[in-house]
Amino acid sequence: MMNGSKIKGKFCSAMVSLASFVRFLRLCFMEHVKFSSLLRCKSFGNSEKKQVVQAPDSDRKDDHDEVLSSDEKVTEKVRKRSMNKRRQQTKGWKCIDNCCWLIGCMCSASWFLLILAYIVPVSLPALQGPEIPGARLKREGLVANHPVVLVPGIITGGLELWEGKPCAEPLFRKRLWGGWGSGFTDIFRRPMCWMEHLSLDYETGLDPPGIRVRPVPGLVAADYFAPGYFVWAILIENLAQLGYEDRNMYMAAYDWRLSFQNTEVRDRSLSRLKCQIEILYATNGDKKVVVLPHSMGAVYFLHFLKWVEAPAPVGGGGGPGWCAKYIKAVMNIGPTFLGVPKAFSTILSAEGKDISLIRTMASGLLESELLGLQTIEHVMRVSRTWDSIVSLLPKGGETLWGNLDWSPEEGLECSSEKKRHLQAESRENNTKISEEMSPSQVKHPKRYGRVISFGVEASEVLSSQLPTISKEFMHASISTDSNTSHGEFWTEYDEMSHESFEKIAENKVYTTTDLVDLLRYVAPKMMQRAEAHYSHGLAENLEDPKYNHHKYWSNPLETRLPDAPDMETYCLYGVGIPTERSYVYKMSPSDRRKGIPFRIDSSADGGDDCLKSGVYFVDGDETVPVLSGGYMCAKGWKGKTRFNPSGSATYVREYRHKPPASVFEGRGLESSGHVDIMGNVALIEDILRVAAGATGPELGGDKIHSDLLRMSDRVNVPL
Amino acid sequence: MPVIRRKNAPETETPEASDAEDDKKSKLPERKSKDKKWSCIDTCCWLVGCICVLWWFLLFSYNAMPASFPQFVTEAITGPLPDPPGVKVLKEGLKVKHPVVFVPGIVTGGLELWEGEECTEGLFRKRLWGGTFGEVYKRPLCWMYHMSLDNETGLDPPGVRVRPVTGLVAADYFAAGYFVWAVLINNLARLGYEEKNMYMASYDWRLSFQNTEVRDQTLSRIKSNIELMVATSGGKKAVIIPHSMGVLYFLHFMKWVETPAPVGGGGGPNWCAKHLKAVMNIGGPFLGVPKSVPGLFSAEVRDIAVARALAPGILDKDLFRLQMMLQHVMKLTRTWDSTMSMIPKGGDTIWGGLDWSPEEGYYPGKRNQNNETQTPDQSEEANHANYGRMISFGQEAANIAVAELKRIDFRDAVKGKNVANSSCSDVWTEYQEIGYSGINAVAEYKVYTADEIVELLQFVAPKMMARGSAHFSYGIADNLDDPKYDHHKYWSNPLETKLPNAPEMEIFTMYGVGIPTERAYVYGLTHSAECHIPFQIDCSADCAESCLAGGVYTVDGDETVPTLSAGYMCAKGWRGKTRFNPSGIKTYVREYDHAPPATLLEGRGTQSGAHVDIMGNFALIEDILRVAAGATGEELGGDQIYSDILKWSDKINLRL
């Protein structure tokens, strides 16, 4: 009964809203009619006038000429009147007609084109792109050899609904995330409902009660993120050319919102991955697998490598030889081994380069509460429930990412485009490029170590000029502002007082280590939840038994690679795109106190490539800086180090970015953007060769375009 | 003044008058010249525009409609709907317990393209089978080529790789809106099931069972996945739910998994006991389906025969190129080994001889008319259907007594080359190699029983049957301990294998009853040109009293599988400790009486017993949910039988 009335109520309200919409439509339509009739009136003006002139004329005639009988006169009049009316009517009609006519024309034209598109042979020679690398390599004689496991990264994997609140009833087993199915487009129909289902529980980091959202399994999980926006599809197509299919290719889809260990706790994702690798190995004639993790998947797979060899209750119980037995190579694509600085800005103020750019272009748009959007607050609220974001925080602290005075990248070009030029010249001169030659260093070195600074000045001045405020406040307990009403958007900012925000801003600069403390200060519950699963430090002594805890497994600086001397580790990533490295922040305008207190100061502009709308850039693939993607393979794991005790081989393969030459190329065959690199021909070729049995040296060993080696040398990590 | 009057006057006029005037006026030449501007094309455009606007409006209102609206309307018309079984069972407190494995049947699983000829440009990883079937219309020959398998090997033709879709999406919907497993999955999800404890064992249903392992390692994957699910669910054994041909496939799997490594899965003799809680067969054609015989013999089933009966002229002529199409269909299906897995098994012992059959005396709808008084004459008359004669040439041959039947043996008949061979060469069916003499010899033999049908198929399609007989067998084992029965071709025939040694396992057979199901056929020769398939169902054969309609004799069943095939093994063959079931696995027969959907709004019905529609039958789903949540067969209520299966089973004289 209750249910019925509720439904009725809903129905009524829907009808009311529908009616109001119709009214609105009618209004528009009428306006349109008036408008167009006005237009028409002008064109018909002449004939109208003539008639008006004619009419009294004829009347006068009637008066003078008595030959016409009165009856006839009346009919004549009526005829004329009706003609007039008719004209008016047609005029009125014609406006609507014209609308219909226009729409009809457009529809017919589009249908015609659609039919044409169907009829036209699929392979128009003009539209045919160059041959895909898979076909070329197949002709070279390469065939499927090692089974392949794909590990998608954050965001790119699809999520579907298995159980939800009544508002999501029709979305059962539809995608809430990824793909443009009815689920993803539902953001626009019921954004709050959608957001509620994508959030996790703030306390546990697992499903909220009554909601089950699960990763989509199979290759469809991440082949396309949305129709036409490929992620793995191109690579899969090329692999298929060599003979790969479901039998020897597996997509290790996991719920990328969860912390890595929780994917095992909730979905058994790690166990399934282990089992699948074993099946692939067994059913393909005992061939070891080649693993292709992308982005966060690289860290996830690092976690897996430790998990699978750890004993049973926490780990997979595969024993110490598991990786050596089953894995031929791990080819990390755009790996986030040491984290991405972007993660800080995402957690602090839910914004990145893109959003700050939008803000500069249309400064009012995002702030306006006119539409009641508050998009950013919503994004922050949802994303803070995702543990996985914390896995992306920069790891290794100041040793890796620099402190107040230095950073590994300082003095180097922020994109390798210019440097290539310089290098070419210097080679001709047969001289080494010295650091003095770099013009930007002469001006002022960028202090990338200050990952967040409040104000441009603070990011540039010498450290001695910085105000010395004790950072003790961050360790003090939070002074809760009891006056703050708990608004609709519950983020932990609501629990803090205005004074503490100001204190944070007064401290001016934050290095990576400080920032982790800062996050603990502003979002204590989230960090407490997430830090049970992740650690961002640098291990002093890897023998310490505490490093057996699973929270260290995804940090390459706090774990050792498995004992698998024959396993190869590749770091494949793009270079040549400015990548976010540090930020200039400011306080939000005080009238927006309820939302997010800080934001990127998009007015800060350095005039060169390295500082744009509040963001300092370095070389990278648009998301991951070179240092994070390459350091471990170039230095940390190179040879026998304490992080790589068995001395398994590592290779760095960089792909220089080249934007697509024409529109026809789509996202480019030589693009190196974080996701676009999955369509990079050179990368695909490398992967296919390894999958077909090649080793690192056969590929040509390291291929480095950036200043990675110099950066790595500056990093002082005991190896 | 007159100007003002003119302005006001029309308003006072009656509309009728002005309308009439309008008509007059429109005839004026002056008006005509204006009308010309609105020519035919404009009117068309206008019409299209109107339709578009209306369509958009409807689309918009449909989208704006609250999700519960259709349900609201349905409830308003038919009264409150019963809770779906998932909700009902959840209210009772049942929860997810045993992992569940689905084994789809023939035809229902999706197939996608991984490698193809040039004509399949743009279809990479798109579904060739299942989904919209858009490609069938766009490039039928290309599609046909890619769906066929190699004539000789029964595997992929060179350069083509068509592979089964994996995951639950493989067979949840066959085409948009036509559910197969979706309703069941939906209800299981309410108990808490999700990907981690549900697995769709999709396989390429065109291949012979052992070839799915050879080519795709499907059996190994099923084995590993069951092991994984059992391990990750804390040691809870799996519940297997095969449907249709999946039943035979899983039977094959159970033998395969315990067989040692090179041919089998090497799981050891206790694998099934360790990993399986129950096998809940839905609509299982354990002993084969008579329908598969005309499928292989003349590529037609009742539907086509009925269509031919309705419009005799059209289909016989080549107007719609139907014959051509049938030939293509035959060429296609004959490359699929799996169709041969469903040829009736057990021969005359099970399916009846020339003068008897287990079902004889069955009167359609008898069960439903139990209350009505029936004259014994009527039931006598029904007895005349000789179901044992599965194919008879001519209605007469189907009815006359054995003594009067004159048959000329076809087996030694000389096969002659068809003269017009070359003109038909684009379509490969083996009929061209038989020649007229062979065709006539087949027709002269008049009547074929189940045993003879296998021989008949071997005669008319020797290559196909040679390929098939390497993978399937249709006999009855005399001595199951004979080492020859270790060969994998016997594994999918329940009459030639033993069930695994797993006394705690339960086997359910669940099927619909109450729908006329094809059982035997009356055939005739085609009269038209020699390129055609020479035989076709004689749709003129009709008999009001018996179960003969359109050349097809029907018995009780679920529209595809006769009750005997689905129920015999569980009702008799495996009941208790028999030689087919040495460990005494408990078996249960659960029948679901067919009730057609009451209204159109119900879609395919919640009480349907039809072969595929039964997957949406609430009673069946509830049974499955209970077993998945831990119930045993006894707790479900043991057997639930509506048909005469027990009576029929007793007539079969099989040593157990």
Side-chain angles (χ1 to χ4, degrees), chain A residues 7-8 11 14 18 21-22 44 55 59 77-79 81 83-87 89-90 94 97-98 100-101 103-105 107-108 111 118 122 138 160 162 169-170 172-173 189 212 214 217 219-220 223 236-237 240 243-247 249 266-268 271-272 275-276 279 283, chain B residues 2 5-6 9-10 13 18 21-22 25 30-31 34 38 42 45-46 48-50 52-53 56-57 60 63-64 66-69 72 112 114-115 121 124-125 138-139 161 163-164 166 168-169 172 185-186 189-190 192-196 198 215-217 220-221 224-225 228 232:
Chain A
I7 288 165
K8 255 181 222 170
F11 175 53
L18 198 74
F21 181 80
V22 169
F44 277 87
D59 272 9
K77 266 183 193 168
V78 165
R79 198 182 286 167
R81 272 177 211 144
M83 215 168 98
N84 216 8
K85 190 201 168 191
R86 162 85 181 175
R87 198 162 284 168
Q89 219 175 30
T90 47
K94 271 197 171 165
D97 284 346
N98 273 1
C100 284
W101 179 82
I103 292 167
C105 275
C107 282
S108 320
W111 289 340
Y118 262 89
V122 189
K138 189 187 178 188
E160 61 187 12
W162 278 87
E169 189 77 16
F172 176 71
R173 284 189 58 222
R189 273 172 73 182
R212 280 189 290 149
R214 295 287 178 268
L219 291 178
V220 285
D223 54 350
I236 291 172
E237 198 179 339
Y244 282 93
E245 53 195 53
D246 270 323
R247 180 172 62 91
M249 186 157 44
R266 198 193 71 181
D267 297 338
R268 305 274 163 202
S271 301
R272 289 155 75 102
C275 177
Q276 290 295 340
I279 297 177
T283 56
Chain B
R5 231 197 318 164
R6 180 176 290 132
E13 260 175 19
S18 72
E21 280 298 315
D22 279 354
K25 283 283 166 185
E30 185 212 12
R31 293 290 315 155
K34 278 217 165 147
W38 283 91
D42 291 315
C45 283
W46 178 83
V48 170
C50 280
C52 279
V53 170
W56 289 337
F57 176 72
F60 173 80
N63 273 322
S68 53
F69 185 65
F72 174 73
E112 60 188 13
W114 278 85
E115 187 182 335
E121 182 88 35
F124 175 68
R125 286 187 57 224
K138 270 167 94 180
R139 24 197 159 175
R161 278 189 292 149
R163 294 287 177 269
T166 54
L168 292 179
V169 286
D172 54 351
I185 292 172
N186 199 331
R190 290 192 195 262
Y193 280 91
E194 54 194 54
E195 295 278 356
K196 77 174 166 190
M198 253 193 300
R215 198 193 70 181
D216 297 338
Q217 281 85 40
S220 304
R221 289 152 74 103
S224 302
N225 274 298
L228 171 69
T232 55

Side-chain angles (χ1 to χ4, degrees), chain A residues 339-345 353 394 397-403 406-410 414 446-452 510-512 515 578-584 610 614-619 622-628 711 715:
Chain A
V340 280
K342 217 180 193 173
F344 278 132
S345 67
K353 185 185 59 176
E398 295 179 4
T399 321
L400 267 296
W401 294 94
N403 56 21
W406 80 278
S407 67
E409 289 107 332
E410 69 185 350
C414 35
K446 301 280 182 283
R447 300 186 198 281
Y448 293 116
R450 303 173 187 181
V451 178
I452 283 183
Y510 293 88
T511 64
T512 359
L515 270 171
T579 307
E580 296 164 58
R581 174 67 168 82
S582 51
Y583 300 89
V584 179
C610 298
V615 184
Y616 282 98
F617 293 101
V618 291
D619 201 3
E622 206 166 9
T623 299
V624 185
V626 168
L627 188 72
S628 174
M711 289 179 209
V715 173

Side-chain angles (χ1 to χ4, degrees), chain B residues 444-521:
Chain B
E444 286 300 315
Y445 196 61
K446 296 288 183 203
V447 169
Y448 296 86
T449 62
D451 271 335
E452 287 156 349
I453 272 175
V454 178
E455 287 169 34
L456 171 67
L457 287 173
Q458 270 160 1
F459 179 76
V460 297
K463 281 186 198 156
M464 175 187 77
M465 289 303 281
R467 211 178 62 223
S469 62
H471 291 288
F472 301 107
S473 165
Y474 314 105
I476 297 177
D478 283 330
N479 174 17
L480 278 165
D481 291 323
D482 193 329
K484 82 167 181 176
Y485 288 115
D486 292 338
H487 191 272
H488 65 78
K489 78 174 180 178
Y490 299 105
W491 291 346
S492 60
N493 182 354
L495 299 171
E496 289 177 306
T497 45
K498 289 188 270 195
L499 283 182
N501 178 30
E504 283 167 29
M505 197 172 95
E506 292 173 314
I507 295 181
F508 295 80
T509 183
M510 319 165 85
Y511 53 89
V513 290
I515 308 180
T517 307
E518 297 164 54
R519 175 67 167 82
Y521 301 87

